[in-house]
Amino acid sequence: MAEKSYKTWEFIGGNGEFRLEDADKSNYLYFPLTNEAGMMSAITPNLHGDIKTGQNTFALMPVSVEDLHNTKSARNFWINIDGRDIWSATGNSAQQIASRFKQDGESVTVEAGLLWHKVIRENGELGIKSEITSFVPANDDTVELMEVKIINTGDEDKKITPTAAIPVYGRSADNLRDHRHVTSLLHKIKTIDSGIVVNPTLSFDERGHKVNNVSYGVLGAEQDGKKPIEFCPVVEDFIGEGGNLEWPKSIAKDTDVYCQSGEETEGFEAIGALRFKDRILKVGEEKSYILAIVINENATNLEKIAEKYLSKDLFDKYISQNKAYWEEKINTVQFNSGNQDYDQWMKWVTLQPILRRIYGCSFLPHHDYGRGGRGWRDLWQDCLALLLMEPEGVRDLLFNNFAGVRIDGSNATIIGSKPGEFIADRNNISRVWMDHGSWPFLTTKLYIDQSGDLEFLLEGQTYFKDAQIYRSEKKDENWKPEDGNKLLDREGNVYEGSILEHMLVQHLTLFFNVGEHNNFKLEGADWNDGLDMAEERGESVAFTALYSSNLLEMAKLLRKLSENKGIDKIEIAEEMKLLLDTLADRIDYDSVEAKHKLLDKYFDSCASEFSGDKVEISIEELANDLEAKGKWIVDHLRKNELIRNSEGYEWFNAYYDNDGERLEGDHPLGTRMTLTGQVFPIMGGVATDEQIEKIVKAADHYLKDDRVGGYRLNTNFKELKTNLGRLFGFAFGHKENGAMFSHMAVMYGNALYQRGFAKEGYEVINSIYKHCNDFERSRIYPGIPEYINERGRGLYHYLTGSASWLLLTEVTQVYGVRGELGNLVLDPKLLKEQFDNEGNASIYTIFANRPLNVTYNNKDGIEFGEYSIKKVIINGKEVDFEVKDGYTVIKRDVVDQLSADNTHQVEITLG
């Protein structure tokens, strides 16, 4: 069992600011510091962590999570006190580490906010205290700034000798074990007036041996801008023979290894060791030193960086700008309920989709498996949050994303750094995730509902093309890389099809790509990447349910396009008409063989040569075709995939393994159930209300575990299922094998809310929040982690798609503020306990580019399910509304009359 620290974080401000005492007593805490320019840092209570702008440009040594307590390399600032005592202001001396758990040891408190980090460290015995504040300025500079404030808390004046000591790695993460020493031979190190600069001559990484133009610097100044007096730029000189970074000989013995500005050396590991002038620090006096860690990709004169940042006044100026920037960005969505701590916690959840947009799924200590960029699924799900927070520009983003779709319904899996830039796979692996086609429609539908922009469906966009065809089962031997990555017609022209056409091919190809039980093939995996060993006979019943819902919703959207825009026909690729079998000769959907035959015919028609010809089809006929397919799936799943086990519980099966065996239900090794298998039948309308009630009982019985924050992803299969996926090699209760995996748990809550099961949905979300809010168990800062392990610790914090889904759930389901083809929907599902003492609960959000502050008044304390909206007042004026299927709709023209420059008060009376 983990040792208790008896401390937890608490919120200390109105914008998510929090404080955690004894923060250094938790090994795996880290905090992100970043900006839109791509400076990406991770920092711990002892200032461990790394700094980088990408896989090949690390200023500090790359770290995985275990390195946070293993490595000696960290940001450090040494103080020699009266020539007698040696103290690290960051806690990274051998003596301080050894005494960390003594009763009279140093006190260490972290205070942090959006996005700044302060560590307050005090040593009562020495009578000295440090306050180290770190942030990345919210501008185009790739710089991390630190203010190191030293305070004399003793009863005597002190003579201090301050020395910053920050090792500079200065190369690709690949070189951590690949030519680590050899790449140090490339280092050209120079001292300048403000610090040290490392400019490697070449880069040795995946790109080959190239001339390097990136330099790395550690710069420093006293609070009034005075420069360091001398420098030690080489690690081995600084630590001395027999010393190390936690007890460097140059500090402990005060050896003379320092040089002046203008010195150059080559071929060694570098360190930004900057010595400042000795100072007498009077009792109660404080002295600040400003440091900048720079990754310079633009050949900027680093002395200009020093002039821009290195003084106390300048530091204060930029940190104020930084706080204002992030607060404005995050506060586009705000919640005000009966639980203020939850509202503050949601600020950190709201930040997380932005962090994932910047970091991708890489570059934080747990996320050591990536090399930058985001995957296809991440791209679309992160857009869910952006539509609520930063709606401007999302249309272009969605449009560019569709260029990654192939004509066979699959897609590129890695997203480049530029809009519309895609590659098939990092290592040219032919692999298809069968869920990928479902997400673009979900996100596009949200965009259209929020905006009313039905015309987006008709925009023309290109297709992605490479050697992979037949959903990556074959290679196009005629394609060459020099042909480019856009689909060409038979005349060699770039082909464009509508956004609607892109979504059609993603869904229609899957409908026919079924396994022996007539569910969609699992292929390389679905949402759960760990289900990657059932490519031949595996099936994903869960995502078959989601695709069915999408097909039915797409049919509705088409009819609205016809009804609202007067469009009766649309054009699609001639080859694609094969997939619309009801327009000619409907095949038997119960026949797996017939489906395969039709799909192969389509693949053959567009394998190596694509005509580029288009045909007109009736929107009504197209909608009918999609509806027929969607309804068939619903009937099929209800008939064939509902499980009733020996204990009388009912739920849906989620998968078939590579032996064609059903995954869930009774088993000699114990009952088998997955959460994924329940989420999509509920969300997609496959499960009836009666079935949902039974599913909830089964999930509560088999999957709910308060020790891990709620609902596990699966029961313990007690078997290494190499016929389904690598996840069964993980210990049970970790990651995809039975952890509380936040993404699917939050989607379970969302699905329950969508179907009107608000109490049950609230229980799912609240169980996660309560666990994360209990630092003794979760050991994470505010926010939602990717998962919670068997011991209750939150892991893979910050970069998780669950944050987007949680924000989406709170805005569109809990507070019920969402769009419906551009009209404003008000459909609250707040429980009685979520209102404050005055019976109010409010949300600030943006709809149709109008800032709205929506307040629900439930003064009589009525429970959800019993209240309804009685009155809507906007800016003091009562407005008309329509009640549709139990929710309230305000026409778009009412919203359009509101100014986009002011916040509008929307007051709603519940009764």
Side-chain angles (χ1 to χ4, degrees):
M1 293 293 292
E3 181 181 345
K4 290 189 175 182
S5 68
Y6 303 104
K7 302 288 184 180
T8 190
W9 50 259
E10 58 180 348
F11 289 114
I12 57 175
N15 267 303
E17 300 92 341
F18 65 91
R19 175 191 294 122
L20 174 63
E21 297 180 12
D22 290 348
D24 62 329
K25 292 182 173 60
S26 290
N27 282 345
Y28 300 107
L29 284 175
Y30 53 83
F31 187 84
L33 299 173
T34 189
N35 65 8
E36 298 282 1
M39 189 69 161
M40 299 176 286
S41 297
I43 194 166
T44 76
N46 295 308
L47 273 68
H48 279 267
D50 56 27
I51 305 172
K52 60 271 161 184
T53 57
Q55 174 72 6
N56 300 310
T57 47
F58 275 75
L60 304 190
M61 188 177 74
V63 295
S64 296
V65 68
E66 292 298 328
D67 298 316
L68 298 179
H69 62 82
N70 271 336
T71 182
K72 294 178 170 63
S73 183
R75 307 164 182 87
N76 213 332
F77 196 94
W78 295 93
I79 302 293
N80 185 307
I81 305 172
D82 295 326
R84 180 180 65 248
D85 296 307
I86 307 299
W87 186 68
S88 167
T90 68
N92 288 309
S93 75
Q95 287 181 335
Q96 288 163 291
I97 293 168
S99 63
R100 186 167 291 164
F101 295 98
K102 290 183 178 178
Q103 287 283 53
D104 57 350
E106 294 180 347
S107 66
V108 180
T109 299
V110 164
E111 293 180 359
L114 306 165
L115 273 163
W116 56 271
H117 180 273
K118 178 190 286 188
V119 184
I120 304 165
R121 176 179 297 275
E122 184 167 6
N123 187 304
E125 183 179 348
L126 294 178
I128 197 162
K129 177 181 178 181
S130 66
E131 294 182 4
I132 303 179
T133 304
S134 304
F135 74 100
V136 172
N139 55 30
D140 292 334
D141 293 333
T142 46
V143 177
E144 181 186 294
L145 299 177
M146 294 168 53
E147 178 194 19
V148 182
K149 185 184 295 183
I150 306 298
I151 306 162
N152 183 356
T153 58
D155 52 13
E156 295 180 351
D157 295 348
K158 292 179 172 61
K159 177 185 176 183
I160 63 168
T161 302
T163 307
I166 301 174
V168 178
Y169 177 74
R171 49 207 189 265
S172 171
D174 294 339
N175 299 133
L176 203 56
R177 280 206 74 254
D178 185 1
H179 296 88
R180 171 68 192 264
H181 172 255
V182 169
T183 49
S184 72
L185 307 182
L186 305 172
H187 283 182
K188 297 184 72 171
I189 312 167
K190 181 170 66 175
T191 57
I192 61 176
D193 289 348
S194 298
I196 72 105
V197 180
V198 181
N199 185 22
T201 56
L202 298 171
S203 61
F204 286 6
D205 51 53
E206 62 180 357
R207 301 167 298 178
H209 300 171
K210 293 182 177 293
V211 174
N212 171 66
N213 296 311
V214 182
S215 59
Y216 307 85
V218 175
L219 312 177
E222 298 184 35
Q223 62 190 34
D224 57 3
K226 290 180 180 177
K227 313 285 189 183
I229 59 170
E230 53 188 1
F231 313 90
C232 182
V234 176
V235 169
E236 64 183 68
D237 294 338
F238 180 72
I239 64 174
E241 294 295 340
N244 60 49
L245 288 169
E246 290 175 351
W247 202 247
K249 196 171 182 179
S250 66
I251 299 294
K253 298 294 185 181
D254 196 21
T255 54
D256 185 15
V257 293
Y258 293 87
C259 64
Q260 300 300 305
S261 174
E263 299 285 336
E264 294 187 15
T265 189
E266 299 180 0
F268 295 95
E269 292 284 357
I271 187 169
L274 320 180
R275 176 157 288 184
F276 296 94
K277 186 178 179 181
D278 292 356
R279 294 288 177 185
I280 300 297
L281 204 60
K282 298 183 181 299
V283 174
E285 188 182 4
E286 61 184 45
K287 179 76 174 179
S288 286
Y289 301 87
I290 312 300
L291 301 172
I293 305 169
V294 186
I295 300 176
N296 180 21
E297 299 185 42
N298 300 313
T300 306
N301 183 327
L302 291 197
E303 288 292 7
K304 290 185 178 180
I305 295 290
E307 292 171 8
K308 185 173 182 177
Y309 293 111
L310 297 188
S311 77
K312 169 69 173 169
D313 290 343
L314 291 169
F315 183 91
D316 290 346
K317 168 189 170 182
Y318 284 104
I319 196 170
S320 294
Q321 290 180 2
N322 183 72
K323 291 178 179 180
Y325 175 86
W326 288 107
E327 287 171 10
E328 180 181 5
K329 207 169 190 67
I330 297 309
N331 286 337
T332 52
V333 180
Q334 300 177 56
F335 305 98
N336 192 354
S337 70
N339 186 340
Q340 292 297 301
D341 278 355
Y342 183 83
D343 301 336
Q344 294 268 51
W345 182 75
M346 277 301 301
K347 289 183 181 293
W348 290 97
V349 174
T350 304
L351 173 68
Q352 289 181 229
I354 298 175
L355 294 177
R356 192 156 87 149
R357 173 166 57 80
I358 296 171
Y359 285 83
C361 291
S362 311
F363 303 136
L364 284 178
H366 275 111
H367 298 82
D368 56 3
Y369 47 80
R371 305 174 66 87
R374 287 176 292 168
W376 180 261
R377 188 185 308 122
D378 309 326
L379 192 72
W380 294 95
Q381 295 195 80
D382 292 350
C383 283
L384 296 172
L386 294 179
L387 279 165
L388 304 176
M389 297 174 59
E390 302 172 333
E392 293 184 14
V394 174
R395 188 187 198 273
D396 290 340
L397 187 60
L398 296 178
F399 175 77
N400 288 327
N401 293 351
F402 273 105
V405 177
R406 294 190 187 95
I407 200 65
D408 67 0
S410 64
N411 52 266
T413 57
I414 301 295
I415 314 305
S417 58
K418 299 175 183 177
E421 183 181 44
F422 303 96
I423 59 176
D425 186 89
R426 182 76 65 189
N427 299 308
N428 294 317
I429 299 172
S430 297
R431 186 177 179 191
V432 171
W433 283 260
M434 64 82 61
D435 67 303
H436 278 189
S438 63
W439 305 113
F441 176 76
L442 286 179
T443 306
T444 301
K445 184 176 185 301
L446 176 65
Y447 164 70
I448 292 173
D449 277 336
Q450 294 291 101
S451 66
D453 184 13
L454 280 164
E455 291 91 343
F456 181 69
L457 295 172
L458 306 178
E459 291 279 341
Q461 179 57 288
T462 58
Y463 284 85
F464 182 73
K465 172 62 180 171
D466 60 1
Q468 298 185 27
I469 54 176
Y470 292 79
R471 294 187 65 83
S472 294
E473 289 187 1
K474 296 182 181 181
K475 288 290 184 77
D476 180 0
E477 301 298 338
N478 296 320
W479 179 86
K480 301 178 291 296
E482 53 266 30
D483 294 336
N485 68 349
K486 295 186 188 305
L487 178 68
L488 305 179
D489 64 21
R490 65 164 67 96
E491 304 298 329
N493 300 313
V494 174
Y495 175 79
E496 288 189 1
S498 67
I499 296 299
L500 174 62
E501 184 185 279
H502 284 68
M503 293 191 295
L504 285 172
V505 76
Q506 288 180 303
H507 286 73
L508 294 172
T509 52
L510 262 293
F511 180 77
F512 298 101
N513 192 37
V514 294
E516 59 203 73
H517 301 91
N518 221 334
N519 304 296
F520 295 2
K521 286 183 178 179
L522 182 56
E523 299 180 293
D526 67 2
W527 166 88
N528 191 335
D529 292 336
L531 298 170
D532 57 350
M533 300 173 72
E535 195 166 2
E536 291 82 18
R537 298 177 67 187
E539 299 173 45
S540 176
V541 183
F543 275 89
T544 303
L546 179 58
Y547 278 101
S548 73
S549 171
N550 284 0
L551 286 165
L552 295 171
E553 290 298 320
M554 207 180 303
K556 293 178 185 177
L557 210 55
L558 281 165
R559 292 194 172 104
K560 285 296 180 181
L561 178 66
S562 178
E563 177 185 330
N564 294 0
K565 302 299 176 181
I567 300 172
D568 296 326
K569 295 183 177 181
I570 62 168
E571 286 188 331
I572 64 168
E574 183 178 44
E575 291 86 346
M576 205 175 294
K577 194 173 179 181
L578 287 166
L579 302 172
L580 303 173
D581 61 301
T582 65
L583 275 62
D585 186 15
R586 176 171 171 168
I587 68 167
D588 179 6
Y589 290 164
D590 292 330
S591 170
V592 172
E593 182 182 357
K595 285 182 174 178
H596 287 177
K597 184 177 179 180
L598 189 149
L599 184 61
D600 286 342
K601 187 176 180 182
Y602 172 72
F603 284 161
D604 290 343
S605 74
C606 57
S608 293
E609 182 177 274
F610 187 70
S611 73
D613 296 334
K614 295 189 179 185
V615 294
E616 271 195 343
I617 58 171
S618 158
I619 282 185
E620 184 61 24
E621 287 182 335
L622 175 56
N624 288 340
D625 182 274
L626 301 180
E627 193 170 71
K629 289 175 167 66
K631 286 182 176 179
W632 180 88
I633 295 173
V634 172
D635 292 341
H636 164 74
L637 296 180
R638 287 176 178 173
K639 179 181 177 181
N640 297 296
E641 299 301 339
L642 191 65
I643 292 169
R644 180 180 177 86
N645 78 340
S646 59
E647 294 184 284
Y649 290 98
E650 291 186 15
W651 68 92
F652 278 90
N653 175 49
Y655 297 100
Y656 286 86
D657 63 27
N658 215 36
D659 294 322
E661 296 294 329
R662 174 179 283 172
L663 183 67
E664 303 191 40
D666 291 332
H667 192 275
L669 297 177
T671 301
R672 293 180 169 180
M673 181 181 184
T674 72
L675 188 61
T676 311
Q678 317 324 309
V679 168
F680 296 111
I682 294 173
M683 185 180 290
V686 173
T688 64
D689 285 354
E690 181 182 1
Q691 287 168 343
I692 293 172
E693 292 176 359
K694 294 177 179 178
I695 288 170
V696 169
K697 289 179 181 177
D700 285 351
H701 181 73
Y702 291 115
L703 298 176
K704 193 170 190 293
D705 188 341
D706 290 333
R707 295 178 304 132
V708 295
Y711 293 83
R712 293 182 182 272
L713 195 54
N714 55 270
T715 54
N716 190 348
F717 283 28
K718 301 176 183 177
E719 180 184 3
L720 180 62
K721 282 188 66 63
T722 56
N723 61 356
L724 187 53
R726 69 175 186 262
L727 75 85
F728 296 101
F730 300 149
F732 178 70
H734 297 264
K735 225 168 187 296
E736 290 99 334
N737 188 13
M740 194 298 291
F741 209 91
S742 299
H743 201 154
M744 195 50 63
V746 170
M747 290 183 75
Y748 179 50
N750 179 280
L752 290 168
Y753 271 113
Q754 283 194 48
R755 297 296 300 276
F757 288 76
K759 182 179 178 182
E760 293 81 358
Y762 173 78
E763 172 59 27
V764 175
I765 304 300
N766 195 46
S767 63
I768 298 173
Y769 161 69
K770 287 193 300 183
H771 189 96
C772 293
N773 200 37
D774 182 354
F775 183 77
E776 278 303 313
R777 293 193 294 170
S778 69
R779 293 302 176 108
I780 55 172
Y781 292 137
I784 186 168
E786 180 184 276
Y787 73 95
I788 293 168
N789 74 4
E790 190 68 3
R791 291 184 172 179
R793 187 187 288 270
L795 287 93
Y796 293 73
H797 199 5
Y798 299 114
L799 309 182
T800 164
S802 60
S804 290
W805 274 94
L806 181 50
L807 181 64
L808 181 74
T809 302
E810 288 291 321
V811 175
T812 65
Q813 296 300 319
V814 179
Y815 286 83
V817 180
R818 61 181 183 271
E820 185 179 70
L821 297 178
N823 297 320
L824 174 62
V825 170
L826 300 171
D827 183 23
K829 298 185 180 78
L830 292 151
L831 303 188
K832 181 171 66 174
E833 67 184 85
Q834 292 177 275
F835 294 88
D836 65 21
N837 293 333
E838 284 73 45
N840 293 322
S842 65
I843 176 176
Y844 175 90
T845 189
I846 297 172
F847 181 81
N849 203 33
R850 272 75 175 174
L852 304 179
N853 192 51
V854 180
T855 301
Y856 296 105
N857 180 258
N858 183 16
K859 63 180 180 180
D860 295 327
I862 306 172
E863 186 55 274
F864 168 77
E866 300 173 7
Y867 61 67
S868 61
I869 292 177
K870 301 299 183 183
K871 185 188 295 185
V872 178
I873 297 174
I874 301 180
N875 297 331
K877 181 181 178 181
E878 188 170 351
V879 298
D880 294 331
F881 58 85
E882 174 189 351
V883 177
K884 178 182 176 183
D885 296 330
Y887 56 83
T888 296
V889 180
I890 298 173
K891 293 295 185 182
R892 180 57 174 263
D893 57 2
V894 175
V895 178
D896 286 342
Q897 293 173 22
L898 304 175
S899 166
D901 299 324
N902 303 312
T903 299
H904 303 282
Q905 302 299 323
V906 183
E907 300 172 55
I908 299 156
T909 301
L910 303 177

